[in-house]
Amino acid sequence: MRVACRLAGEVLDFITPYLRPGVTTGKLNDLCHDYMVNVQGCVPAPLDYAPPGYKPYPKSICASVNHQVCHGVPGERALKSGDIVNLDITVIKDGFHGDSSRMFYVGEPGIQARRLVEATYECMWRGIRQVRAGARLGDVGAAIQQHAEQQGFSVVREFCGHGIGRKFHEEPQVLHYGRAGTGLTLEAGMIFTIEPMINAGKAAIRELADGWTIVTKDHSLSAQWEHTVLVTQGGYEVLTQSAGSPPPPSF
Ligand code: MF3
Ligand code: CO
Ligand code: CO
């Protein structure tokens, strides 16, 4: 898991310089695909992934732009200055999954976009910092929800973090909202993702006709960051950190 997760982070490091005005999300997909397959010797987990009720996902990464919340399907859309983009990378290495996503600014972001992206990053880290053996999953959700709502933003309810290992999505579900002191008690050795989706407007979402792309109902901006995290006795180990990961925020 340590190897797979570091490799997921390294795909994000690799693709970072390509997030410039004019590049299409399809081109970013193709670059990441080739890097995962030919450089890392990995399998891109999203490609042909078909959970119950979904048709097979057609691409190797997710690219969600502006009001797209998650699972944006890469295509001919060219990025332009001011866009905010989430790239979500999941690799399979020797049968193990590593899952991580980051936000990117294309050119110069607007003030609200920057506030949302930074607040969402802090939400993820506030969640991560709750993790230790003996803590409850509700502690993670509550920390995230509290910070998001205190900033005037809202937490998407329909998608959550997840256990991960030999399977892409396993138990437990890691909600990004909730009440401290409730929910599953964490044990050392558990591995799951924390991946809050935070909207600048209302929390409601809608699925596009492609059967995958999720957007905000009110077309407000949405941001997401994701790490895969190991529970340890005294705390946590963030497995998807790599050389290019932005540092944790200072609280
Ligand atoms: N990587 C996403 C997650 O964090 C899942 C994407 S599923 C896909 O759970 F099929 F859209 F790739
Ligand atoms: Co995930
Ligand atoms: Co992901």
Side-chain angles (χ1 to χ4, degrees):
M1 283 304 285
R2 287 195 176 94
V3 171
C5 287
R6 178 178 43 78
L7 290 169
E10 287 176 358
V11 179
L12 290 163
D13 296 353
F14 158 76
I15 201 64
T16 298
Y18 293 97
L19 279 117
R20 317 247 333 149
V23 75
T24 66
T25 53
K27 173 75 176 172
L28 297 174
N29 176 80
D30 296 350
L31 287 163
C32 288
H33 177 94
D34 288 345
Y35 190 78
M36 289 185 264
V37 171
N38 300 322
V39 178
Q40 296 184 323
C42 289
V43 174
L47 190 57
D48 290 325
Y49 183 60
Y54 287 83
K55 54 186 183 186
Y57 189 78
K59 295 288 180 178
S60 297
I61 72 171
C62 299
S64 305
V65 184
N66 295 340
H67 74 291
Q68 297 177 348
V69 174
C70 63
H71 305 165
V73 179
E76 292 317 297
R77 179 183 189 147
L79 299 179
K80 56 183 201 326
S81 184
D83 284 347
I84 59 170
V85 187
N86 175 276
L87 295 186
D88 193 339
I89 304 293
T90 312
V91 305
I92 310 171
K93 181 68 170 178
D94 297 332
F96 292 97
H97 291 72
D99 189 7
S100 186
S101 80
R102 294 181 196 160
M103 294 299 297
F104 299 89
Y105 302 124
V106 181
E108 272 306 303
I111 257 184
Q112 194 210 26
R114 186 186 290 276
R115 265 194 66 227
L116 176 68
V117 168
E118 288 179 357
T120 305
Y121 189 61
E122 186 156 338
C123 282
M124 176 184 68
W125 272 102
R126 283 181 182 245
I128 290 171
R129 285 174 190 213
Q130 295 299 319
V131 173
R132 62 176 167 78
R136 312 284 294 268
L137 270 185
D139 302 344
V140 174
I144 292 167
Q145 180 180 13
Q146 189 182 356
H147 186 65
E149 293 179 355
Q150 196 245 322
Q151 302 290 311
F153 300 138
S154 62
V155 178
V156 172
R157 302 293 204 267
E158 289 85 348
F159 297 93
C160 56
H162 50 92
I164 182 168
R166 290 189 180 276
K167 290 197 298 185
F168 195 161
H169 295 102
E170 304 179 344
E171 290 193 342
Q173 294 194 24
V174 180
L175 303 184
H176 303 116
Y177 59 93
R179 262 189 25 243
T182 68
L184 183 74
T185 300
L186 303 183
E187 293 171 36
M190 291 177 170
I191 300 180
F192 50 79
T193 72
I194 297 178
E195 48 179 301
M197 284 141 275
I198 307 296
N199 298 346
K202 297 210 169 84
I205 57 155
R206 160 173 95 70
E207 186 181 288
L208 296 190
D210 64 14
W212 277 103
T213 308
I214 304 297
V215 299
T216 56
K217 222 175 203 170
D218 63 7
H219 280 74
S220 64
L221 289 177
S222 187
Q224 178 178 29
W225 292 82
E226 174 175 26
H227 270 313
T228 300
V229 178
L230 165 70
V231 182
T232 66
Q233 209 49 251
Y236 55 83
E237 192 177 317
V238 179
L239 301 182
T240 36
Q241 270 175 320
S242 58
S245 298
S250 46
F251 289 95

